[in-house]
Amino acid sequence: MYNPTIRAPARFWANRSLAIKGLVVIALPLAVLLGSLLSLYLASNAEARAEDDVRRAFAIQRDTYQVHALLAEAAAGVRGYVLTGDNRFLAPFRKAQREVPSSMARLDEAIEDPIVRDHFEELRVLEAEKRTGLQQIVDVARVGNIAEANVEDALLANKLALDEVRVTIDDIQRREAVVLDERRTRVEEVRAGFLILTAVSALVGLLGSLSAVYLFSTGIVRRVRKLEGDAEALARGERLTEMPEEADEVGRLAQRLVRASALLHDREDDLRASEERFRLVIEKVRDYGIFALDPDGMVTSWNLGAERIKGWRAEDILGRHFSNFYPTETRDHLPEEMLERARENGSAEDEGWRIRKDGSRFWANVVITALRDEQGKLRGFAKVTRDMTERRRSEEALKEARKDAEAASRAKSEFLSRTSHELRTPLNAILGFGQLLEIDEDDFARNHREAIGQITKAGRHLLSLINDLLDIASIEAGSSDLTIETLDLGQLLEEAYSLGKPIVASANLNFELERAGGNIPVRGDARRVTQIILNLIGNAAKYNRDGTFVRLGCRFDGALVRVTVEDDGPGIAEAEAKRLFTPFDRLGQQDRAKIEGTGLGLALSKSLAESMDGGIGFEALAKGSRFWFSLARAAQPENSPLGRNTNDVTESSCPRT
């Protein structure tokens, strides 16, 4: 039979929030417990304060005794100094001068009792007077003409002052002892009261805790067990339908579990629909073969793209091993190797020949990805295949075109080399006969001498052209006779400066050298480095018709050293600068008749610099131009012929870019 007088209080208690229940069940015993802890804390603090007071009293006694001892020793030392004049007696006085102020400062900080404070203020005055009197006696004794009676009076006054200090210190000690006894008595009384209060609080807390456990077990535990059963049913996938009546947090949680059960079932339905849509999307992809394998490599799914690329229908390939797609030369090992790599690394990629159902081959890009569950257990593999046959054909065609271009380049280099060699033989004869004619040119008429000069001049120009062609051809063919070694760039600059002087002087220009302050070790071929420098100097001298100088120097650029050739000539237009290092492309075609050249100097310099792992370039200046080429810096051991401190000298030899 329903009894409202019994059910109403239980219903009221069940509908209260967990916060209120927690306050009733836990807060009151906890408050009692906190009160007990606070009592213990206060008792502990009182005891700690008492111990601090005791330590402070001991410290006050120690410091007062120390002040008295220091002053007494200082007085004795001053007395000995006055009587003997020996400075060693002043050691206690100097010690007192150093340590008494710090002891007085500690006493000033430690003393709290007002009576002790009054005595301390008296002590402060007496201590200052005592030290001042001692200092005066020392000062007078140092002069040496003080009367003995005056000394005795001063010492007697000092003795009286020390007695007063001792009396004051005794007063401080007696008062501190009284204060200490009072504090100890008060602490013992407080500690006893706190212990009684703690015992009462512990008893009340125990009773409150027992009551809280009873209320908790009767009002919450039963319903939590019911909630646990609902959670287990939800984990099994069962739908919860019974809604609890209670309105507290536990009841609302049970209601949310019921709603969550309905929501999970709805989402499972949506997930199944989404998986179906995803399956349809995968199956309709035509450009990629996408299918799944089980852990042993058997095909478990098949899409339209796989059917189009491989030629197998789903019913023909499902359940068969994917090694059927590999040619006979790789079928026995590559499929298992791919699966093993995917197991170890998560995925494996490969490109190679594959076999269609009809036996035809195609070039495929294949990616196999391992599929694992949340526990890391292997569930199978996803395999994506793309037909790359057309791309491979394009790559092969590109390789063939590259081979043809390389063959054409080699043929060009061979042609230049052979042609240059063939031209050299008759050219040597022309130059030889021209030089013979020059020997006897005084026997010829003026017009004949001019013709002989033109013959030798043209022969030398043609010989220079042939030599440049041979150098370029040998560099392009990879057969250049370079000897890469460690060089002293400073010495090479000096040599190039000497060789370039006549070239610059013939153009009526000043030739400047930024001389290095020491050894500059670089890596390169000495002959070729000098050749590049002279090429750049010759260009600067030829084209600098309106300026006044050509300057040779160097700059540091990180791990490289730049050799620079500057001039203050007309410069080079920005539009033409990109053609500077093109073979046979001479800038200023309208002036070709006035300025000699083959059009190969800069191109050859570029090839030589790059063959020595360097570079070459051009910079436009406000007036004129700067050409540069770079060489790698080299470190030298201490016993190097370039010098023991090469690195240090190098850092200060050339400025930095």
Side-chain angles (χ1 to χ4, degrees):
M1 180 179 297
Y2 174 73
N3 188 348
T5 61
I6 297 176
R7 184 171 176 79
R11 174 65 60 187
F12 177 81
W13 172 253
N15 288 337
R16 300 284 70 78
S17 68
L18 291 180
I20 295 177
K21 292 175 182 176
L23 180 63
V24 174
V25 172
I26 298 174
L28 182 57
L30 182 60
V32 175
L33 177 60
L34 291 177
S36 301
L37 293 176
L38 180 60
S39 300
L40 293 175
Y41 174 75
L42 293 176
S44 175
N45 276 354
E47 185 176 0
R49 286 196 301 272
E51 291 177 354
D52 289 342
D53 290 340
V54 171
R55 284 192 292 271
R56 190 182 302 111
F58 287 151
I60 291 172
Q61 292 174 353
R62 182 194 65 233
D63 287 338
T64 52
Y65 284 137
Q66 184 176 4
V67 169
H68 180 264
L70 288 172
L71 292 176
E73 290 175 358
V78 169
R79 189 180 305 111
Y81 173 72
V82 170
L83 296 176
T84 64
D86 189 349
N87 284 327
R88 287 177 296 178
F89 284 97
L90 291 180
F93 170 71
R94 295 191 184 98
K95 181 179 179 181
Q97 292 289 73
R98 290 193 309 271
E99 297 184 5
V100 167
S102 58
S103 299
M104 293 297 292
R106 289 195 300 271
L107 288 171
D108 189 17
E109 183 178 355
I111 293 174
E112 295 180 352
D113 185 74
I115 298 175
V116 177
R117 169 63 63 178
D118 293 340
H119 292 311
F120 173 73
E121 294 300 331
E122 295 177 6
L123 176 62
R124 192 199 302 270
V125 174
L126 293 173
E127 172 269 331
E129 291 177 355
K130 174 68 175 177
R131 288 195 295 118
T132 302
L134 291 176
Q135 182 65 52
Q136 290 174 353
I137 294 172
V138 171
D139 293 340
V140 172
R142 283 177 179 165
V143 175
N145 56 359
I146 182 171
E148 183 178 348
N150 293 337
V151 172
E152 291 179 355
D153 293 340
L155 291 175
L156 180 60
N158 230 278
K159 173 65 170 58
L160 296 176
L162 183 60
D163 292 340
E164 293 180 3
V165 168
R166 183 171 56 254
V167 171
T168 303
I169 289 175
D170 291 341
D171 293 340
I172 292 175
Q173 296 295 334
R174 284 193 296 273
R175 180 56 187 171
E176 277 295 322
V178 173
V179 170
L180 180 59
D181 291 339
E182 292 175 353
R183 290 173 178 173
R184 284 177 175 173
T185 302
R186 186 167 61 253
V187 167
E188 292 298 331
E189 294 174 354
V190 172
R191 183 179 299 168
F194 279 144
L195 289 177
I196 295 173
L197 179 60
T198 300
V200 174
S201 299
L203 179 61
V204 174
L206 178 61
L207 295 176
S209 299
L210 293 175
S211 302
V213 170
Y214 174 76
L215 292 174
F216 182 80
S217 60
T218 56
I220 298 177
V221 172
R222 175 184 55 81
R223 295 167 58 217
V224 170
R225 288 176 181 171
K226 174 64 170 57
L227 192 63
E228 181 181 4
D230 291 344
E232 291 176 354
L234 183 63
R236 293 192 297 268
E238 300 176 4
R239 185 184 292 271
L240 304 180
T241 56
E242 183 181 357
M243 296 289 288
E245 299 178 1
E246 292 84 358
D248 63 350
E249 289 84 349
V250 176
R252 290 196 295 272
L253 179 58
Q255 294 170 7
R256 290 191 180 96
L257 280 178
V258 175
R259 290 194 290 269
S261 173
L263 181 61
L264 284 176
H265 280 81
D266 294 340
R267 289 186 175 177
E268 286 177 359
D269 296 338
D270 295 339
L271 181 60
R272 282 192 291 270
S274 176
E275 290 176 347
E276 181 65 18
R277 288 193 297 270
F278 179 73
R279 183 184 63 81
L280 293 175
V281 169
I282 293 298
E283 289 181 353
K284 297 302 180 183
V285 172
R286 294 180 55 84
D287 294 333
Y288 293 85
I290 304 174
F291 54 95
L293 308 174
D294 66 10
D296 297 324
M298 301 296 180
V299 179
T300 58
S301 70
W302 198 250
N303 80 326
L304 185 61
E307 180 178 336
R308 184 187 67 82
I309 294 173
K310 299 179 181 293
W312 295 83
R313 298 179 62 83
E315 56 268 21
D316 298 329
I317 195 61
L318 291 177
R320 300 182 65 176
H321 199 271
F322 81 109
S323 59
N324 286 281
F325 310 137
Y326 288 76
T328 55
E329 62 268 21
T330 60
R331 184 175 300 170
D332 294 336
H333 62 91
L334 187 55
E336 289 302 324
E337 290 177 3
M338 292 286 290
L339 293 183
E340 185 62 27
R341 285 164 51 195
R343 290 189 192 98
E344 293 179 356
N345 305 323
S347 65
E349 185 174 359
D350 178 59
E351 282 197 11
W353 292 111
R354 299 295 185 268
I355 300 295
R356 295 188 176 92
K357 183 180 180 182
D358 59 7
S360 61
R361 294 192 174 206
F362 68 99
W363 188 263
N365 174 270
V366 176
V367 178
I368 299 179
T369 303
L371 304 177
R372 299 183 183 274
D373 58 18
E374 295 179 355
Q375 288 73 34
K377 183 178 180 180
L378 182 67
R379 294 299 185 183
F381 302 91
K383 189 168 185 290
V384 180
T385 302
R386 186 179 181 186
D387 188 353
M388 308 294 288
T389 307
E390 291 300 324
R391 191 195 72 177
R392 180 171 175 80
R393 288 173 182 167
S394 300
E395 290 177 351
E396 290 178 349
L398 183 60
K399 289 180 181 178
E400 290 298 326
R402 185 181 295 112
K403 289 180 181 178
D404 293 341
E406 292 174 354
S409 177
R410 287 194 298 271
K412 180 200 73 173
S413 298
E414 292 176 2
F415 170 76
L416 289 175
S417 179
R418 291 176 182 176
T419 302
S420 300
H421 282 293
E422 293 297 330
L423 289 174
R424 239 180 202 181
T425 301
L427 182 59
N428 287 334
I430 293 172
L431 286 174
F433 284 115
Q435 291 170 357
L436 289 174
L437 291 173
E438 283 181 335
I439 295 174
D440 300 326
E441 66 178 359
D442 293 339
D443 298 335
F444 297 98
R446 178 179 179 181
N447 59 337
H448 290 164
R449 289 198 300 269
E450 291 177 355
I452 292 170
Q454 290 296 329
I455 291 172
T456 55
K457 183 178 180 181
R460 293 190 185 97
H461 178 73
L462 184 57
L463 180 61
S464 175
L465 177 61
I466 291 172
N467 289 334
D468 289 346
L469 284 173
L470 285 175
D471 284 338
I472 291 177
S474 63
I475 291 172
E476 291 180 349
S479 59
S480 177
D481 56 341
L482 293 176
T483 303
I484 304 299
E485 58 185 348
T486 299
L487 309 172
D488 181 1
L489 183 59
Q491 181 179 347
L492 283 179
L493 293 178
E494 293 282 355
E495 294 174 359
Y497 177 71
S498 299
L499 295 173
K501 266 186 178 180
I503 301 173
V504 178
S506 64
N508 296 321
L509 298 171
N510 295 323
F511 194 18
E512 303 174 5
L513 172 63
E514 294 180 347
R515 299 185 183 276
N519 300 319
I520 309 173
V522 295
R523 298 288 295 171
D525 183 287
R527 184 171 64 89
R528 295 303 191 179
V529 171
T530 303
Q531 183 178 355
I532 297 173
I533 296 175
L534 292 178
N535 278 343
L536 297 181
I537 292 173
N539 271 359
K542 282 191 298 185
Y543 290 98
N544 188 5
R545 291 171 293 175
D546 300 327
T548 60
F549 71 88
V550 174
R551 181 182 298 121
L552 174 64
C554 64
R555 298 284 188 275
F556 280 114
D557 184 13
L560 302 174
V561 179
R562 285 189 178 186
V563 178
T564 61
V565 176
E566 301 178 13
D567 64 78
D568 59 344
I572 299 172
E574 183 178 355
E576 296 180 339
K578 58 184 178 181
R579 297 162 42 204
L580 279 171
F581 302 99
T582 304
F584 302 107
D585 189 359
R586 297 180 60 202
L587 304 184
Q589 296 290 335
Q590 68 277 8
D591 296 331
R592 177 176 293 181
K594 300 179 181 179
I595 301 176
E596 296 180 356
T598 63
L600 291 176
L602 290 179
L604 176 60
S605 298
K606 181 176 185 294
S607 299
L608 290 174
E610 291 175 350
S611 66
M612 292 184 289
D613 296 329
I616 195 167
F618 160 80
E619 298 174 6
L621 303 178
K623 178 173 177 57
S625 306
R626 176 190 295 140
F627 283 85
W628 59 265
F629 71 95
S630 59
L631 298 169
R633 298 169 67 176
Q636 292 295 327
E638 290 190 3
N639 58 357
S640 168
L642 296 183
R644 291 185 305 171
N645 242 339
T646 302
N647 289 335
D648 295 338
V649 174
T650 301
E651 292 298 331
S652 61
S653 299
C654 295
R656 295 186 179 274
T657 55

